[in-house]
């Protein structure tokens, strides 16, 4: 096993990069920052550190009268964050092991070596005075809730009765949620295989994703084993997808709308579905699964080769070529087909042939403020003005894509944000600007909870002009 001191040193470096504005995923993938053999350990430690960074910074301010040099500060705050993290945080070391290893980490780097005794003394003082220091630190809301102050203030303004629950939910470790591929298997068949292999699971709530019981496909696993080790991953029996995200395809292609689409297909129309912001393809593949299932139920199965494209066509757009590769990988694992185009969805001239769509999904780029459980760096990376700026971009995309929808077609606008300016505000502005848009019932704002991420969705029907 790799020495903890090595992992602590690399974690401090990784977190310092995050605080300078780089996403944790980007930093972890950068071999010049985190060596590949340290990656898994550094990821687990970084998650725990980022979840406790507000408290760690406040403690460091109380413990050191002057701000230490950046590398020393990063290591000290990293160690403090781990000393205050929950026992199940992925950093379950005894206090003394952590302190000793942090001191060893300091000694092994030229930029921190001369401060090793300072780090040692400061951390040991923390252990002696922990209760008093933490009580004092909690006077700062940033320390108490481990989010930036502007974020706390905004949540309090927008959700006066729920803001504390939301901030607490952001601190939780998410479970691994799967979407069973009902075009390939059934819930009972997949569950039987999980049981055989001793994988603990519980069914996610089908009422949450608003679909009939026989089309419900969410399963949460208590532990998070490596996904590829789960049965039949390679042959596409399931995908990893949060429960709130599963609500997107089930609301756009609801049971009742799918029935209409099947009738339309019987009348000889090819059904056209657009996923405008598609990578890595989680929702594209779910849309396809629902179409496959609905056509199979109707006795019009789409089984293979030439049948694909007979009743429906799915187009997936993505502006980022690297991310678009992931759509192809997911389609191929699930043995599905879609037309993938690398382009700016809002620039219709670059990709649209003028044939209208029956259904459009705009899973828009956003601040990701709803997926802080899975990406604990997000809260420290965002700036106060970001949500409003993203809201403007989303409205412009929504407006452009509206033109591609046929009359009586449906569009679902979704974001994984909990800020109003990337949800309800965009919906209202869009409705005000488009007399032919009618809002249909949809889930709206999903606040993050133990069961799922934070998410927003609004469903529109296009009425005759
Ligand atoms: C929220 S993610 C989509 C997640 C995806 N729907 C899924 O469920 O797997 C938003 C995606 O939109 C892409 N994107 C951002 N701006 C875009 C644009 N103008 N046109 C097309 N894609 C865009 C981003 O690169 C990102 O991959």
């Amino acid at each position: 096993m790799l020495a903890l001191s090595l992992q602590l040193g690399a974690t401090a470096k990784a977190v310092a990069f995050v605080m300078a504005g780089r996403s944790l995923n980007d930093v972890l993938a950068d071999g010049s920052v985190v060596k590949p053999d340290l990656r898994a350990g550094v990821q687990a430690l970084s998650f725990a550190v980022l979840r406790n960074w507000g408290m760690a910074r406040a403690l460091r301010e109380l413990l050191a009268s002057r701000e230490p040099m950046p590398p020393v500060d990063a290591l000290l705050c990293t160690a403090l964050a781990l000393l205050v993290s929950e026992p199940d945080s992925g950093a379950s070391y005894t206090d003394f092991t952590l302190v000793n290893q942090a001191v060893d980490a300091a000694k092994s780097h030229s930029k921190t070596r001369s401060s090793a005794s300072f780090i040692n003394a400061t951390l040991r003082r923390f252990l002696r005075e922990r209760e008093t220091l933490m009580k004092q630190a909690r006077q700062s809301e940033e320390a108490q809730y481990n989010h930036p102050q502007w974020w706390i203030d905004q949540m309090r303004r927008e959700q006066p009765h729920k803001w504390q629950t939301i901030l607490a939910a952001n601190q939780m470790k998410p479970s691994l949620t799967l979407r069973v591929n009902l075009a390939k298997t059934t819930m009972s068949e997949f569950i039987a295989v999980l049981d055989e292999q001793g994988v603990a699971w519980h069914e996610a709530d089908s009422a949450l994703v608003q679909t009939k019981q026989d089309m419900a496909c969410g399963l949460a696993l208590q532990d998070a084993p490596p996904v590829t080790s789960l049965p039949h991953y390679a042959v596409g029996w399931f995908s990893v997808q949060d429960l709130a995200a599963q609500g997107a395809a089930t609301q756009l292609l609801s049971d009742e709308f799918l029935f209409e689409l099947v009738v339309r297909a019987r009348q000889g129309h090819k059904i056209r579905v657009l996923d405008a912001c598609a990578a890595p393809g989680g929702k594209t593949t779910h849309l396809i699964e629902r179409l496959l299932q609905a056509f199979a139920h109707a006795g019009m199965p789409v089984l293979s080769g030439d049948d694909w494209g007979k009743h429906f066509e799915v187009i997936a757009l993505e502006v980022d070529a690297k991310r678009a590769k992931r759509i192809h990988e997911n389609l191929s694992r699930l043995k599905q087909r879609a037309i993938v185009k690398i382009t700016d969805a809002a620039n219709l001239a670059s990709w649209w042939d003028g044939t209208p769509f029956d259904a459009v999904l705009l899973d828009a780029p956003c601040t990701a403020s709803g997926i802080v459980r899975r990406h604990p760096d997000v809260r420290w990376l965002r700036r106060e003005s970001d949500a409003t700026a993203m809201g403007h971009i989303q409205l412009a995309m929504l407006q452009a894509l509206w033109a591609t929808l046929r009359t009586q077609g449906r569009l679902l606008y979704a974001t994984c944000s909990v800020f109003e300016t990337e949800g309800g505000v965009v919906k209202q502005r869009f409705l005000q600007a488009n007399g032919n848009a009618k809002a249909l019932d949809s889930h709206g704002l999903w606040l993050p909870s133990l069961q799922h991420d934070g998410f927003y969705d609004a469903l529109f029907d296009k009425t005759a002009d």
Side-chain angles (χ1 to χ4, degrees), residues 242-258:
D242 183 77
L243 192 62
Q246 293 184 26
T250 49
Q251 291 186 91
L252 177 60
L253 298 183
S254 63
D255 303 336
E256 149 251 333
F257 189 52
L258 274 172

Side-chain angles (χ1 to χ4, degrees), residues 241 275-283 317-320 323 343-346 363-365 397 416:
Q241 190 177 44
D275 185 355
C277 290
K283 298 187 187 71
L317 309 179
E318 170 56 49
V319 77
D320 179 332
R323 284 177 60 82
T343 186
D344 172 2
D363 186 23
M397 294 187 81
C416 53

Side-chain angles (χ1 to χ4, degrees), residues 343-403:
T343 186
D344 172 2
N347 178 7
L348 301 192
S350 74
W351 64 270
W352 190 40
D353 64 4
T355 317
F357 289 96
D358 296 277
V360 173
L361 172 62
L362 169 59
D363 186 23
C366 69
T367 56
S369 63
I371 53 173
V372 173
R373 294 183 314 159
R374 293 180 202 284
H375 299 277
D377 53 338
V378 158
R379 68 192 100 177
W380 307 115
L381 290 167
R382 297 293 173 260
R383 297 291 166 259
E384 191 171 358
S385 55
D386 290 352
T388 306
M390 291 311 297
H392 290 315
I393 294 172
Q394 293 161 15
L395 183 58
M397 294 187 81
L398 187 49
Q399 196 60 53
L401 291 165
W402 190 240

Side-chain angles (χ1 to χ4, degrees), residues 73-251:
D73 195 29
L75 184 57
L76 193 52
C77 287
T78 293
L80 286 167
L82 294 173
L83 286 168
V84 299
S85 69
E86 296 294 321
D88 69 343
S89 64
S92 41
Y93 302 97
T94 67
D95 291 349
F96 289 101
T97 305
L98 270 172
V99 173
N100 291 339
Q101 295 290 307
V103 174
D104 280 355
K107 284 181 185 159
S108 59
H109 288 282
S110 57
K111 288 185 184 155
T112 47
R113 192 167 299 137
S114 59
S115 302
S117 56
F118 163 73
I119 289 179
N120 187 30
T122 308
L123 292 177
R124 282 176 202 279
R125 185 182 146 208
F126 168 73
L127 295 184
R128 284 194 309 274
E129 300 175 25
R130 181 195 296 252
E131 293 302 315
T132 320
L133 285 165
M134 287 192 62
K135 197 167 158 207
Q136 244 182 303
R138 276 197 205 99
Q139 285 170 9
S140 134
E141 287 194 330
E142 279 205 11
Q144 192 180 346
Y145 298 109
N146 283 297
H147 284 70
Q149 190 64 49
W150 67 264
W151 189 306
I152 300 168
D153 293 341
Q154 192 161 332
M155 278 287 85
R156 186 172 16 221
R157 258 194 327 272
E158 294 183 4
Q159 300 292 338
H161 304 297
K162 297 185 181 150
W163 63 278
Q164 283 159 307
T165 318
I166 298 169
L167 298 177
N170 287 349
Q171 292 295 87
M172 290 173 189
K173 270 174 76 177
S175 52
L176 179 68
T177 311
L178 307 183
R179 183 188 83 227
V180 179
N181 181 356
L182 299 183
K184 280 216 166 226
T185 181
T186 60
M187 281 294 247
S188 46
E189 188 179 30
F190 185 62
I191 285 170
V193 183
L194 289 182
D195 286 345
E196 238 169 64
Q197 302 209 356
V199 180
W201 57 270
H202 58 92
E203 226 157 315
D205 188 351
S206 62
L208 274 179
V209 288
Q210 299 173 353
T211 192
K212 286 192 301 209
Q213 192 57 38
D214 67 341
M215 286 183 80
C217 53
L219 272 187
L221 305 191
Q222 259 104 355
D223 302 312
V227 176
T228 48
S229 73
L230 289 170
H232 307 305
Y233 173 75
V235 289
W237 276 30
F238 68 89
S239 299
V240 173
Q241 190 177 44
D242 183 77
L243 192 62
Q246 293 184 26
T250 49
Q251 291 186 91

